[in-house]
Amino acid sequence: MRNFRGRSNAAQMTRTFTAMILLIVLITGASIAFVVGYRLTRNRMDDSSVLVSSLERSIIDDEPDWHHWKQTSPIDTDDTYVKVITKIPGKKKETFYSDNAEDFLAAKQWAIPGFSRFYYSDDFGFFYRSGSESRHVYYETWTGLHDVVHIFRLILLDLLIAMVLCGILGYFVTAWLARRLNQPLSALTNAAKQISHADNISYHETLPVPEHPDEVRDLGTEINQLLQSLNDQALRDHQFVADASHELRTPLTAIRGHISLINRRGQDHPEVIPRSLAFIDRESSRMQTLVEHLLQLSRMDHAEVQLSYQDIATAVKDTVNRYQGSLQQTIELNIATTSMAYFNPESLQQILIALLSNASKYSPANAPITVTVTTQADQPVIMIADQGMGISDANKAHVFERFYRVDQARSQEIPGTGLGLAIVARLATLNQAKVTVSDNQPHGTIFTLHLTTNLVD
Ligand code: ADP
C-alpha cells in the first residue's frame, strides 16, 4: 500500500478512471432516460390527439352522442379525463365529463414551470392537458403520464445501481491495474534507494532494468548509463589521485634522501652539499611544474572558453615567432593555406607551445621542427612535425592519458610530468577541436590539431 498514497500515480489513475467510469455511466443513463422519457411522453401526447379526434367524430348532425362514445371509447377512465362543453347556437350550453373527470378537476393541480401543458396533482400524479375547439364544441382532455413516470423511476433506479456497481468494480479494477503498471517503477525506485543507501558510495551498482514497460526500461537504461559514467568518473578520479600522489612521492622521497645525506655527511664531506642542492632544486622545480599542471587540469574540468572566428595563420605565426628563441631547434613555418576557424587565441597558443616543447624535448637539437597550416578534407589543420624518436603505435593510443609517459622518455631522463598532452587534449575539446598523432617520415612524430569552422552549441 506504500506506493498507493493519495498523490501516487496509482492513486491518481484510480481516482481519474473511477470518476470517468461513473461519468460515462451517468451520461449513458441520462441519455437513455431522456430518449425513453421523451418517446413515452410523445406517445401519450399522440394518444391525447387520437382521443380528441374520436370525440370530434362522435358529433353527428351537430349533436354529440356522448353516451354512445362513452360506451365505445377504449379510454382508461382512471388515467384519462375528458370535459366537453357544447355551445351550439340556439341550443342550451351543455357540459359533459368522462368518468371520474369531475373528481379529477376538483382536485388541486399545479402547472409544471417551463412545461405549459403539464400538470401535477397530489392525488392523481402527472398529466398532459390538451384542448381544442371544433363546431362550437370545446374539448379538454387530461392524459395521465403514470407510465412515463414509472419507467423514468425504473431507469433512475437502474442508473443508480449501475453507478454503484460500476464505481465499486471500476475502483478495484483500476486500482489493481494501476498498481500492476506501477510495479516496475516501484521496483526501480526501491533498487535505486538501496544503492543510494549503500555504504560504498564511490561505486554505484547498476539498477535491474525490467523488459516491460518500454518507458520504465528506457528510464532504467538511462539511469544505468548515468551510473556507469559516474562510476567511470569515480574510477578516473581515484586513479588520478593515486597517480598524482605517486608522481609527487618520487621527487619528495629523493629530496628527503638528499636532505638526510646533507645532515649525515654534510659536515665531514661538504663536497656533497652542492650536488645534493642541485638535485633538490631540480626535483622541487619538477614538483612545481607537476602541481601547476595538476591545477591547470582540474581548473579545466569545468572551464568554458570564448571562441571567435579568426585567421589561423596570424595566430600561429605570432606564437612561433615568440617561442622560437627558447628552443634549440629551428622552426620552419609553412603556411600552405590560410583559413579561418573558431578558436580561443590563448588556448591555441597554449596548445602550440606544449606541442612545440614536446617536439623540442623528444627530437635532436639539429633537426628542425616544421609547423604547417593547411586543410585536410576541407577542415583547417595545424601540424607540428619533428624528426625525433617517434611514438610506437601501441603508445600512440595512450599518450593523451594523464601521467602517461613512454618508457623511452623516462629512460633518457627527459624531464616531464606526463600531463602535457592530457592538457592539450582537454584544451582542444574546449575549442571544439581534436588532436591526433601520426608518424613523420623517415622518423619522428606529427601532432595535428583539427580546428572547427562550425560551432556546435
Ligand atoms: P611529458 O611531460 O612526459 O612530455 P606529455 O603528456 O607531454 O608528457 O607527453 C606524454 C608522452 O608522450 C611523453 O612522455 C613522451 O613519451 C611522448 N611524446 C610526446 N610528444 C612526443 C614527441 N613529439 N615525440 C616523441 N614522443 C613524444
Side-chain angles (χ1 to χ4, degrees):
M1 268 294 165
R2 227 180 66 219
N3 295 321
F4 205 64
R5 288 163 309 201
R7 296 175 70 172
S8 71
N9 258 354
Q12 283 182 29
M13 264 171 78
T14 308
R15 272 202 303 270
T16 314
F17 277 98
T18 310
M20 228 167 75
I21 290 169
L22 287 179
L23 198 71
I24 291 170
V25 173
L26 189 71
I27 291 173
T28 317
S31 31
I32 291 172
F34 174 77
V35 172
V36 172
Y38 174 78
R39 205 48 261 164
L40 287 174
T41 312
R42 265 266 45 112
N43 284 351
R44 298 304 281 147
M45 286 158 82
D46 292 346
D47 288 351
S48 140
S49 311
V50 171
L51 180 62
V52 171
S53 309
S54 92
L55 281 165
E56 282 171 359
R57 275 199 305 277
S58 72
I59 298 174
I60 303 154
D61 297 337
D62 278 356
E63 268 309 314
D65 186 357
W66 305 130
H67 297 290
H68 177 72
W69 175 82
K70 234 175 174 179
Q71 275 158 14
T72 54
S73 169
I75 68 161
D76 178 354
T77 50
D78 284 333
D79 194 20
T80 309
Y81 306 108
V82 176
K83 177 184 170 187
V84 184
I85 303 166
T86 53
K87 288 180 194 160
I88 299 162
K91 290 204 175 161
K92 209 173 114 222
K93 178 183 167 191
E94 250 188 297
T95 305
F96 164 78
Y97 294 99
S98 67
D99 288 349
N100 305 325
E102 279 172 288
D103 292 344
F104 170 73
L105 288 171
K108 179 132 182 61
Q109 295 172 6
W110 287 278
I112 297 173
F115 298 91
S116 58
R117 283 162 172 256
F118 291 87
Y119 289 83
Y120 175 74
S121 153
D122 277 346
D123 299 333
F124 295 88
F126 287 93
F127 275 85
Y128 170 72
R129 174 178 166 270
S130 87
S132 79
E133 193 169 355
S134 150
R135 287 192 280 164
H136 314 296
V137 184
Y138 177 72
Y139 308 95
E140 210 170 60
T141 62
W142 285 268
T143 314
L145 298 172
H146 305 127
D147 284 357
V148 183
V149 172
H150 180 65
I151 288 187
F152 224 83
R153 273 206 196 113
L154 280 182
I155 291 176
L156 284 181
L157 186 70
D158 190 44
L159 180 65
L160 201 73
I161 294 169
M163 275 182 72
V164 172
L165 283 181
C166 289
I168 294 171
L169 207 72
Y171 177 84
F172 284 108
V173 170
T174 44
W176 169 79
L177 188 72
R179 238 179 271 143
R180 234 189 90 152
L181 290 178
N182 252 12
Q183 200 277 330
L185 200 61
S186 307
L188 205 66
T189 313
N190 288 339
K193 263 188 201 149
Q194 273 176 9
I195 290 174
S196 69
H197 290 125
D199 292 337
N200 179 10
I201 52 160
S202 60
Y203 188 82
H204 315 276
E205 302 278 338
T206 46
L207 299 176
V209 179
E211 276 294 307
H212 308 286
D214 293 355
E215 294 85 347
V216 180
R217 189 198 54 214
D218 292 349
L219 176 70
T221 313
E222 286 300 320
I223 293 176
N224 276 347
Q225 275 171 8
L226 180 70
L227 287 174
Q228 190 56 52
S229 80
L230 286 175
N231 283 340
D232 292 348
Q233 183 60 41
L235 285 178
R236 273 200 303 274
D237 288 349
H238 194 262
Q239 189 60 41
F240 183 63
V241 172
D243 290 344
S245 316
H246 177 77
E247 291 295 322
L248 284 168
R249 199 174 55 186
T250 315
L252 268 176
T253 315
I255 289 171
R256 288 195 62 78
H258 278 272
I259 290 173
S260 121
L261 181 74
I262 294 171
N263 278 342
R264 272 188 289 112
R265 303 185 55 196
Q267 221 143 29
D268 302 333
H269 300 277
E271 70 279 3
V272 298
I273 296 176
R275 207 158 50 88
S276 288
L277 280 181
F279 186 87
I280 290 171
D281 182 42
R282 203 176 66 229
E283 286 303 298
S284 60
S285 98
R286 202 166 86 81
M287 273 173 66
Q288 194 179 4
T289 318
L290 185 71
V291 170
E292 271 161 16
H293 278 178
L294 283 173
L295 275 175
Q296 213 178 337
L297 262 180
S298 85
R299 273 195 221 111
M300 276 194 296
D301 264 354
H302 306 288
E304 259 184 49
V305 293
Q306 285 289 321
L307 307 184
S308 50
Y309 199 56
Q310 298 187 37
D311 179 41
I312 306 166
T314 317
V316 173
K317 258 189 239 162
D318 200 38
T319 310
V320 167
N321 289 341
R322 264 203 266 162
Y323 201 56
Q324 171 69 86
S326 49
L327 296 187
Q328 291 172 305
Q329 294 89 340
T330 50
I331 305 177
E332 288 173 1
L333 186 59
N334 173 19
I335 310 284
T337 3
T338 168
S339 49
M340 310 274 285
Y342 282 100
F343 61 88
N344 174 277
E346 245 174 72
S347 307
L348 184 70
Q349 194 179 5
Q350 254 180 293
I351 294 172
L352 291 178
I353 289 176
L355 295 177
L356 283 172
S357 144
N358 274 359
S360 165
K361 275 198 295 186
Y362 301 108
S363 66
N366 57 358
I369 298 166
T370 316
V371 177
T372 311
V373 178
T374 184
T375 51
Q376 269 181 13
D378 285 342
Q379 284 298 107
V381 294
I382 305 169
M383 299 159 84
I384 290 105
D386 63 56
Q387 297 171 36
M389 58 180 79
I391 304 173
S392 69
D393 285 346
N395 283 316
K396 275 192 196 97
H398 300 290
V399 285
F400 293 103
E401 290 170 11
R402 294 167 175 188
F403 297 111
Y404 191 84
R405 299 201 75 206
V406 178
D407 279 344
Q408 212 183 346
R410 290 184 191 276
S411 60
Q412 292 190 9
E413 295 265 315
I414 299 171
T417 58
L419 291 174
L421 287 181
I423 293 173
V424 165
R426 180 75 190 127
L427 278 172
T429 310
L430 289 176
N431 281 264
Q432 295 191 14
K434 209 174 81 181
V435 213
T436 54
V437 58
S438 55
D439 293 327
N440 198 7
Q441 294 307 330
H443 53 85
T445 312
I446 305 175
F447 279 93
T448 309
L449 180 69
H450 305 257
L451 291 165
T452 185
T453 47
N454 287 315
L455 279 190
V456 183
D457 286 336

